[in-house]
Amino acid sequence: MQEPLLGAEGPDYDTFPERPPPSPGDRARVGALQNKRVFLATFAAVLGNFSFGYALVYTSPVIPALEHSLDPDLHLTKSQASWFGSVFTLGAAAGGLSAMILNDLLGRKLSIMFSAVPSAAGYALMAGAHGLWMLLLGRTLTGFAGGLTAACIPVYVSEIAPPGVRGALGATPQLMAVFGSLSLYTLGLLLPWRWLAVAGEAPVLVMILLLSFMPNSPRFLLSRGRDEEALQALAWLRGVDADVHWEFEQIQDNVRRQSSRVSWAEARAPHMCRPIAVALLMRFLQQLTGITPILVYLQSIFDSTAVLLPPKDDAAIVGAMRLLSVLIAALTMDLAGRKVLLFVSAAIMFAANLTLGLYIHFGPRPVSPNSTAGLESVSWGDLAQPLAAPTSYLTLVPLLATMLFIMGSIKGWVMCYAMGWGPITWLLMSEVLPLRARGVASGLCVLASWLTAFVLTKSFLPVVSAFGLQVPFFFFAAICLVSLVFTGCCVPETKGRSLEQIESFFRTGRRSFLR
């Protein structure tokens, strides 16, 4: 029996040939212009991810500031802080739900542009907030925009990118989200919290301006019967000297075979339900590794663990490490393959979460005037009061462990969350989902992802108060072990494959990989 995509990449596996049949022209000679235009369209789209990453970690410097606010209408209690941190994920879940409709109704590009409306409104509300309700509504709206872009941008990028650079471009949504987070951490060292919200408006406006000049996805246009417009879009993306007819015919043939909407009976067919199940479980496990509560409460976590450096500086350093990691992932994903990075990422995340849990359980605790119990029994705002000066470089452990959780290294390649389960889960979601269900299924994946993130983020503070800060990290470590098994058993290697080839693999039915 021939081995499927999971097992080997031999030339005898017909469904996934290493290289597609040659086109009438020599497509290699037009790669430079092709990539320039694809890069420009990708950059315009992923500015939405920049805004998403910026908004996601907005609470990291703002919660400590509001816990010390002298304005009674803006002063946050621990319960209010947990809502302020977690309500973003509820908005993101609603955004993912709306993407199930908008992705196919408006198209990928217009859906991304539409996200600018709630994003701009949310930042404006937070910048001018005079009460908790304005802060929560602003967070919800920016979360809605983030969930919508999280579902639409990876699909748009994967559909406009040629196979040779799809891995690198597929990492750019995560790269820009990380860059947005780093920008927030950096500006948080310089600006008050209201001006942080004002600064968040800038990338939204630039995104709208640039996307106005970019084409829609050729695959979406073909699915709507706009063949001539689709050909023009593909020709623009590939360059004026490119012979796009072979690629256009391949896409057109695939779209024609899937022109009708998916019925419930068809959705239960293996070639439909398996890729959707893989994408859903990857998004579910990605959130269960704990990245969202760690990022949302990053500065507060450092406040509670007797770090040697100021917590604001630690948060900015971790943001820089995430950016470097995703950048390396973008450059190596099409060389190393998706599964290798996922394996290494999950293994190092396990080690880092376990290290953090053990350090918090056995390591030094911060001392405040009212308590020596740490995060479990005092507010994170109180922990920002003068602490006992660290006397050992052991207090660098939480910084290094969190950097390891997000970065890590093996054989000279820096790999961890930001090089594996961060960008690759988004890329694989857009790669494996079948075209007929891609719009709805991507929204479903984002919905499930952010509902999971909400549960984790909202329960993080109560769990810490009841059981201690180490317990969540031990849980995250266990999830990383599950992720290792899932990657080995269920995740296909898609490196170098066209979207049509990936879909063809799931249609063969030669051997199920969801065992």
Side-chain angles (χ1 to χ4, degrees), residues 366-374 378 382-383 385-388:
V367 180
S368 73
N370 300 320
S371 175
T372 59
V378 296
D382 293 337
L383 288 170
Q385 302 298 322
L387 304 179

Side-chain angles (χ1 to χ4, degrees), residues 86-106:
S86 60
V87 73
F88 178 93
T89 59
L90 277 183
L97 186 63
S98 69
M100 297 172 66
I101 300 173
L102 295 179
N103 231 343
D104 291 328
L105 180 65
L106 300 180

Side-chain angles (χ1 to χ4, degrees), residues 285 288 346 350 421 476-488:
L285 289 172
L288 286 181
F350 166 75
W421 282 82
F476 300 152
I479 293 299
C480 290
L481 290 180
V482 176
S483 300
L484 280 169
V485 176
F486 175 77
T487 301

Side-chain angles (χ1 to χ4, degrees), residues 101-116:
I101 300 173
L102 295 179
N103 231 343
D104 291 328
L105 180 65
L106 300 180
R108 290 50 159 145
K109 189 187 84 165
L110 289 180
S111 296
I112 298 169
M113 296 177 71
F114 175 77
S115 71

Side-chain angles (χ1 to χ4, degrees), residues 91 122 186 249 254 264 309 333 375 451:
T186 304
E249 289 171 1
N254 188 52
W264 176 246
L309 300 175
M333 197 179 300
L375 182 64
L451 285 178

